[in-house]
Amino acid sequence: MGKKSVCVVVLGDIGRSPRMQYHAQSLIRQGFDVDIVGYTDSPVLDDLKENATIIGVPKPFPFDEYVPRMIAFLFKVVWQTLTLFWAILVKRKSDIVLVQNPPAIPTLAVCWFYCLLVNAKFIIDWHNYAYSILALTLGSNAPLVKLSLFYEHAFGRLADFNLCVTKAMKDDLHKKWNIEATTLYDRPGPQFKTITLSEKHNLLEKMNLNDFTKLSESGEVQLKPDRPSLLVSSTSWTPDEDFSILLKALQKYDESDNIYPKLICVITGRGPLKYHYQHKILKLKWKKVSIITPWLENNDYPLLLACADLGVCLHASSSGLDLPMKVIDMYGVGLPVCAYDFKCLNELVRHNENGLVFSNENQLALHIMTWFKNFPSEICEKQSRFCKEIDNFRAVDWHTNWMNNAYPIFSNDNN
C-alpha cells in the first residue's frame, strides 16, 4: 500500500500558523505525503519548503473598501469558496484533510464537500470558535455571529475526527455540540531553545540593542553589569489582546523608584491594531522605559525570546477555551512569563509555580517591578523558582506529544 496523502488547510497565512506547520512536519516525519493549502504571505519553515507541497490561495479582493460590510462579506465568502475549492481540487487526491478552525466560513464546508467527493477523511483541529472571535467586534447578538455559530455546529458534527487545543475545549465541544475531540496540547517547535551568549550578542547587535552585551579583550562575549532589563511580548495586534494594560503597567514602572533598572520592551508581530498602538507609543515621554515594535524574521524571533529576561502575554481568548501559543514559545526557550488570566489558562500557566498571572495593569506593574527589583543581581534567583517546572514542560516536545495523541487518528487503518 502506498503512502497516504494528507492535505493541511489553513485559510490564513501558513507561515504564521505554527501549529499547522508542526502538524505537517510530524506527518512528513511519519511518512505521509503532505500538501499545505493557504495564504503564502510569510515564509514557511525551511523543511516544509523542501518536503511538502505548498499550494497558495489568492487572497480576497478588498471588497469592504467599496461596498457595505454585509455585501463585502458575501463577496469574500464566494471568492474564498471558489479559490479554496479549486486549490484543493487540482492537487493530488488526498486521503485525509486536516483543516484549521477558525476560520470556519467557508473552510469547513469546502473541505467537507471535497472529502465527500473523493472519499477522504475529514479532520478538524479546533483552535478556537470562529463565532466567538466575530462576537468581539460585532456583538454576540449580531446575525452574522449567530449564523457562524449555527454553521460551526453543523459542519463540526460532520467531521470524522476532531482535535482541540485544551481539555476545556474538549469538554465544551462535547457538552455543547456532542462532538468528541482529542486534546492535543501545543508544544514549542525545535527552533525554540536556549542559546549561547554569542548568539544573544549577534542578535541584539543586529537589532541595534547594544547595551546588553560586550566583547572582552580576548573576544569573549559578556553581559554588561549595568545592562537594562529586556521585556518581550509578541502579538497579532487583534482585539483579544488589550495592549493598553501593558502600556499602563509600564507607565507605573517608569514612575517607580531608582531601584528598578532601565527597561526595553520589545513588542513583535503584525496585525490590524499595530498602527493604533504605535501612534500611542510615539506620544509617550518616559525616562526609564523604551518600547520598540519591530517585525522579526522567522529565524530571529526564537532568538529574541531566548535573549529576554521576562515575557508578557496579553492574550485574553474570545472563547476562554484556547491557550496562547506565544507562552508556549516562551517556555520553549526557558523564558518566564506574565500572562493575562482567563478561564482555562491554568492548563498552561500556574501562578507562582511556572509563571505569573495578572488581571489588570496594577497586578502586571507589580509583577514587573518585583521581577526586576535589584536587577540584574537577583534575577537568577527569581528565575530559578520557575526553572524546574518550565524544564518539565520543555521535556515533552511537539512530535512526542503528537505521536501519543494525534498519530493514532492519522494512522487508523480505517482512514
Side-chain angles (χ1 to χ4, degrees):
M1 185 175 178
K3 292 198 289 187
K4 290 180 183 176
S5 176
V6 181
C7 180
V8 178
V9 178
V10 182
L11 202 59
D13 186 359
I14 299 168
R16 295 171 67 190
S17 304
R19 180 177 168 99
M20 302 309 284
Q21 291 188 85
Y22 298 161
H23 271 301
Q25 286 180 315
S26 289
L27 287 162
I28 291 165
R29 190 168 169 180
Q30 294 310 121
F32 293 87
D33 287 325
V34 174
D35 301 312
I36 309 177
V37 176
Y39 301 141
T40 54
D41 299 341
S42 306
V44 300
L45 297 173
D46 289 341
D47 61 332
L48 295 183
K49 295 176 187 176
E50 299 173 7
N51 300 304
T53 302
I54 310 296
I55 301 164
V57 178
K59 296 198 77 170
F61 183 79
F63 298 108
D64 54 346
E65 294 179 10
Y66 303 96
V67 296
R69 177 189 286 176
M70 280 305 298
I71 297 175
F73 174 77
L74 292 173
F75 284 173
K76 180 182 176 182
V77 169
V78 171
W79 174 288
Q80 290 179 316
T81 299
L82 294 175
T83 54
L84 175 60
F85 186 64
W86 179 253
I88 62 175
L89 190 64
V90 297
K91 61 170 184 49
R92 60 187 161 190
K93 178 184 175 295
S94 299
D95 300 297
I96 304 168
V97 175
L98 171 65
V99 57
Q100 171 186 297
N101 185 72
I105 300 172
T107 321
L108 297 184
V110 171
C111 292
W112 169 79
F113 183 63
Y114 171 82
C115 290
L116 191 66
L117 281 180
V118 302
N119 194 31
K121 292 298 180 183
F122 179 38
I123 302 176
I124 300 175
D125 189 14
W126 297 82
H127 296 197
N128 202 341
Y129 294 134
Y131 78 86
S132 69
I133 295 175
L134 277 175
L136 289 176
T137 51
L138 302 181
S140 57
N141 292 321
L144 190 54
V145 173
K146 293 179 178 179
L147 172 64
S148 180
L149 190 156
F150 173 79
Y151 173 95
E152 271 183 289
H153 175 203
F155 283 98
R157 289 173 58 86
L158 295 175
D160 296 293
F161 300 99
N162 293 273
L163 295 165
C164 63
V165 293
T166 61
K167 184 179 182 296
M169 180 166 278
K170 170 186 170 74
D171 294 342
D172 193 69
L173 283 165
H174 174 74
K175 180 180 179 181
K176 185 162 57 181
W177 292 337
N178 199 29
I179 291 174
E180 299 299 330
T182 298
T183 300
L184 175 67
Y185 284 117
D186 281 310
R187 284 294 187 273
Q191 69 273 35
F192 293 95
K193 58 188 177 183
T194 56
I195 61 174
T196 65
L197 266 180
S198 292
E199 289 173 303
K200 291 182 180 182
H201 176 74
N202 292 338
L203 177 74
L204 293 170
E205 283 216 325
K206 180 179 176 181
M207 295 179 65
N208 293 318
L209 298 175
N210 303 312
D211 297 331
F212 294 88
T213 58
K214 64 180 181 179
L215 292 176
S216 67
E217 291 182 2
S218 63
E220 181 184 3
V221 177
Q222 299 174 339
L223 291 171
K224 291 183 178 180
D226 59 346
R227 69 187 183 275
S229 56
L230 184 58
L231 188 74
V232 65
S233 185
S234 55
T235 178
S236 51
W237 298 106
T238 49
D240 62 354
E241 294 177 296
D242 183 0
F243 265 81
S244 64
I245 293 174
L246 177 58
L247 297 184
K248 290 173 183 176
L250 292 177
Q251 173 79 46
K252 294 178 184 295
Y253 183 94
D254 192 72
E255 295 168 352
S256 63
D257 297 334
N258 290 329
I259 57 173
Y260 304 107
K262 288 185 177 180
L263 182 150
I264 296 178
C265 176
V266 183
I267 306 173
T268 73
R270 290 176 179 163
L273 295 179
K274 181 171 184 175
Y275 295 111
H276 166 75
Y277 281 109
Q278 280 182 321
H279 185 66
K280 282 190 170 186
I281 291 167
L282 284 172
K283 293 181 177 180
L284 300 173
K285 305 296 180 185
W286 288 342
K287 299 175 183 177
K288 288 196 298 188
V289 177
S290 303
I291 300 176
I292 59 173
T293 57
W295 169 251
L296 297 176
E297 298 171 10
N298 276 358
N299 293 336
D300 286 342
Y301 173 61
L303 299 177
L304 173 67
L305 296 186
C307 290
D309 300 302
L310 183 65
V312 171
C313 174
L314 288 150
H315 177 83
S317 179
S318 61
S319 64
L321 301 172
D322 68 309
L323 293 173
M325 193 72 187
K326 51 184 72 67
V327 170
I328 289 150
D329 295 341
M330 291 172 182
Y331 280 172
V333 303
L335 178 64
V337 177
C338 285
Y340 185 83
D341 197 15
F342 59 89
K343 186 163 60 176
C344 72
L345 182 69
N346 62 358
E347 292 189 43
L348 177 62
V349 182
R350 299 179 303 280
H351 186 60
N352 274 334
E353 288 184 38
N354 66 352
L356 298 166
V357 170
F358 64 92
S359 299
N360 55 55
E361 63 267 19
N362 293 326
Q363 291 176 358
L364 177 57
L366 179 61
H367 290 330
I368 295 173
M369 286 189 281
T370 302
W371 192 259
F372 290 122
K373 184 178 180 181
N374 297 321
F375 177 90
S377 60
E378 294 183 12
I379 191 71
C380 291
E381 179 184 343
K382 293 168 183 174
Q383 284 180 328
S384 66
R385 286 188 293 160
F386 304 138
C387 185
K388 182 178 178 182
E389 291 297 325
I390 293 175
D391 283 347
N392 288 339
F393 178 86
R394 295 170 61 206
V396 180
D397 63 13
W398 165 269
H399 189 69
T400 302
N401 192 45
W402 186 89
M403 287 295 294
N404 290 335
N405 295 286
Y407 179 64
I409 292 174
F410 292 96
S411 63
N412 190 312
D413 290 337
N414 295 322
N415 279 349

